[in-house]
Amino acid sequence: MSQLNSTPRKALVVFSGGQDSTTCLIQALAEYDEVHGITFDYGQRHRQEIDVAKQLASQLKLASHKVLDTTLLNELAISALTRDAIPVSHELMNNGLPNTFVPGRNILFLTLAGIYAYQIGCTTVITGVCETDFSGYPDCRNEFIQSMQQTLALGMDKPFTIETPLMWLNKAETWALADKYQQLELVRDQTLTCYNGIIGAGCQDCPSCLLRQNGLDDYLNNQQQVMDSLNSKQASK
């Protein structure tokens, strides 16, 4: 066997402990020989997600799990996710963005993930951002991801791939993906997506919880149709 073929395939997952990143992690564990996780502590309002990420990383037996202090982002970016005094709103701000948008968050996270991936010998970084069914964040768009991928490769003179398994999936299809790997119950009951820090079904009021629950209801009511749609999208990649 050639050295190339015997080299283990490694991936680093940007892992928050939420539905999307946990689903990406589950898929990565099935597709890669070695999976690492990186979680960012930026003083987020729902920082219970860090403990959830630690628990899931241990439970799913990641090769490593790094929690990185990025609280400098909290000092710079004023958002409902970085200031407890700012209520999470269902209305858009004057700039057309949700008040949960944290400016520069994914720019910083993907940059730091790229640096860490470089150190541990990964050329693939996986993130759960999604353009099809997202909260209006500009740093979740495919155009942004492609730009960051090129920037990382140029800046470190090394080929980098940023994989986005959920980019063109809606929330129902994301639930179907977890179910495809027989982990729907784990994602449903043990992840934290809620902006108010409640595990599982969450507060059932914040925008993140509503998006998550609507997607789950859609999947459970139309399982075969949604699974067929997921398989079709994955086959066309």
Side-chain angles (χ1 to χ4, degrees):
M1 181 181 293
S2 70
Q3 182 63 36
L4 179 62
N5 290 334
S6 63
T7 302
R9 297 181 67 240
K10 299 181 181 182
L12 174 66
V13 179
V14 178
F15 182 45
S16 71
Q19 175 195 357
D20 292 343
S21 64
T22 303
T23 302
C24 290
L25 185 64
I26 288 164
Q27 183 182 50
L29 286 166
E31 295 185 348
Y32 287 85
D33 302 310
E34 190 175 305
V35 178
H36 302 259
I38 186 167
T39 300
F40 299 102
D41 179 354
Y42 61 99
Q44 55 267 53
R45 130 188 246 126
H46 52 313
R47 69 184 320 276
Q48 295 95 328
E49 69 178 7
I50 298 169
D51 292 331
V52 171
K54 289 178 180 178
Q55 169 60 33
L56 288 171
S58 174
Q59 182 176 334
L60 295 171
K61 297 180 171 56
L62 298 193
S64 74
H65 179 224
K66 186 173 188 64
V67 178
L68 196 62
D69 183 345
T70 53
T71 48
L72 61 89
L73 179 61
N74 190 288
E75 296 178 28
L76 297 172
I78 298 175
S79 160
L81 294 193
T82 61
R83 299 291 186 275
D84 290 340
I86 302 176
V88 174
S89 174
H90 292 274
E91 304 299 325
L92 299 180
M93 297 185 294
N94 291 336
N95 61 5
L97 298 174
N99 77 339
T100 51
F101 173 60
V102 182
R105 180 172 59 172
N106 283 341
I107 298 172
L108 178 64
F109 289 179
L110 289 172
T111 299
L112 295 174
I115 295 168
Y116 184 58
Y118 186 98
Q119 299 303 322
I120 61 176
C122 289
T123 57
T124 299
V125 173
I126 300 173
T127 179
V129 301
C130 171
E131 183 168 322
T132 303
D133 197 357
F134 72 135
S135 299
Y137 300 152
D139 57 357
C140 289
R141 295 176 298 182
N142 188 58
E143 182 180 12
F144 162 74
I145 294 297
Q146 295 303 313
S147 174
M148 280 300 301
Q149 176 176 285
Q150 183 179 22
T151 296
L152 290 175
L154 288 173
M156 289 187 273
D157 195 23
K158 185 175 183 177
F160 267 95
T161 300
I162 301 179
E163 289 191 358
T164 54
L166 311 183
M167 180 59 74
W168 307 115
L169 304 186
N170 61 37
K171 265 293 182 283
E173 290 162 346
T174 299
W175 283 110
L177 182 59
D179 202 15
K180 188 173 184 177
Y181 291 100
Q182 292 81 51
Q183 294 285 14
L184 186 143
E185 289 187 2
L186 180 146
V187 174
R188 183 191 65 198
D189 299 335
Q190 298 185 45
T191 62
L192 194 160
T193 306
C194 175
Y195 290 148
N196 291 311
I198 301 174
I199 295 173
C203 69
Q204 292 293 291
D205 179 65
C206 73
S208 184
C209 282
L210 294 177
L211 185 62
R212 171 182 166 127
Q213 188 62 50
N214 289 340
L216 179 58
D217 291 343
D218 187 8
Y219 174 59
L220 294 178
N221 291 329
N222 306 280
Q223 289 192 35
Q224 191 59 56
Q225 180 181 349
V226 175
M227 189 66 77
D228 288 346
S229 177
L230 167 67
N231 289 333
S232 177
K233 287 182 178 180
Q234 289 188 318
S236 66
K237 287 179 62 177

